[in-house]
Amino acid sequence: MKKVLLFGATGSIGQQTLDIISRFRDSLTLLGISGKLRLDNLLDIAEKFRPPLIALPDEESVSYLAKRLSYKPEFFVGDEGLARMASEPSADVVVIAISGIKGLIPAYYALKNGKRVALANKESIIGGGFLLLSTAQSSGGEIIPVDSEHSALFQLLQKVKSYSLRKVYLTASGGPFLDWDLKDLEKVTPELALKHPTWRMGEKITVDSATLMNKGFEVIEASVLFNLPPEKIEVLIHPQSTIHALVELIDGTFFAHLSKPDMRLPILYALFYPERPNFDVADLSFSPSLTLNLFPPDFQKFPCLTLAYSALKLGHPYPLILEASDEVAVPAFLEGRIKFTDIPRVLEKTLNEFTIKYKPSTVDEILVFHEEVKNFTEEMIKRL
Ligand code: NAD
Ligand code: MG
């Protein structure tokens, strides 16, 4: 029986991880959960799975849950609680489904303790991937990516010798504005941006998919996780979200990874790796109407992609700056404070104008630096 710690249990990835755990009760059990908002939802999860450990943001949430629960779990509080629960010795797999840079805390401590980390949180890879990788290396921990494209690449690259690799390709649905004219993007509303054509995800990542910032972040993620230079990573638009990644070999051969767009598949893979259990609820059916298109993205229409490559080439801490700035720009857009087309403008301005006084190298420094960039971006948006 594998014991699973699930950080971010109430979110989109969190719920899908719980679905997998329910379906594989003979081999998976929930050791601990964390969540920040939606405490009633967390309460329901706790009652259903009865995890002995629960991490919460503050003491008020602890007393809220403690009063209502029918059993007595051990509670962990705040950022320190995230670190302590992630260090729980009896855990076999630690799923990081928290959104935002705070995901770095449990990811780091789980790896430091030599655990397997099923890592969905991309902010921690973008801002602190170097730290996670070196920590995993020295402790014997391992990172299994859960982001669908990176799970696909992880699976494909196992079959390829590194000297025979020419390039990797990440696919992007293209988001809801793929066919819009550049000039019309000014008029995009939050409602329109929140309608993703193929995936159901949290709000932030859905807007990032509409600007293609998400794909830009994934280019950075791929570079960090698989130690690839920017010129070996390309993006292809693939509106059907059926091919998740491709690798091109030096003899011109391509391997592709296909599956139904269902995040439960990469989650399942990370939980069971290197095994593959039988799972038939996400079958891909080939109907006469199924067509698969692949074509290059329009960098002019989606400047966030270019920004990601620039940040990647500049190196640490530029990807962290880009990501932190986006964590402010996206809510500002959703709250109607800036336009959709202002998002890349704000990000570019932050990349150019934020003064780097030091290179953050520890978890604490990365979190503080991230906060400084967010404050800088917030002030800049006020002046726009
Ligand atoms: P979400 O917004 O639906 O859920 C976020 C979860 O994290 C919630 O449980 C929330 O309570 C928790 N959380 C947020 N801030 C926290 C904090 N400071 N401390 C503790 N808990 C906190 O997000 P999501 O769509 O499930 O995405 C989660 C992560 O996975 C993100 O990094 C995202 O980029 C990545 N990801 C998501 C998808 C997807 O399909 N949803 C795909 C690939 C990668
Ligand atoms: Mg993805």
Side-chain angles (χ1 to χ4, degrees), residues 12 24 68 74 85 110 132 193 200 229 304 306 316 320 345:
S12 155
F24 291 90
R68 291 163 177 80
E74 181 182 350
M85 191 169 91
L132 295 181
R200 294 284 152 266
C304 287
T306 310
H316 178 66
L320 175 62
R345 288 186 197 126

Side-chain angles (χ1 to χ4, degrees), residues 249-323:
L249 309 188
I250 47 176
D251 63 357
T253 299
F254 282 76
F255 292 156
H257 176 287
L258 285 77
S259 76
K260 196 174 164 186
D262 186 326
M263 284 309 293
R264 290 176 304 176
L265 288 168
I267 295 168
L268 182 76
Y269 182 80
L271 290 175
F272 281 89
Y273 171 81
E275 304 298 325
R276 274 187 198 270
N278 189 14
F279 188 64
D280 56 9
V281 302
D283 280 352
L284 178 63
S285 51
F286 289 96
S287 67
S289 61
L290 179 70
T291 48
L292 299 176
N293 308 98
L294 288 166
F295 51 92
D298 181 341
F299 281 78
Q300 262 195 318
K301 214 157 83 180
F302 299 105
C304 287
L305 261 184
T306 310
L307 293 177
Y309 277 100
S310 310
L312 182 58
K313 284 178 193 149
L314 289 166
H316 178 66
Y318 286 92
L320 175 62
I321 296 176
L322 185 64
E323 195 288 313

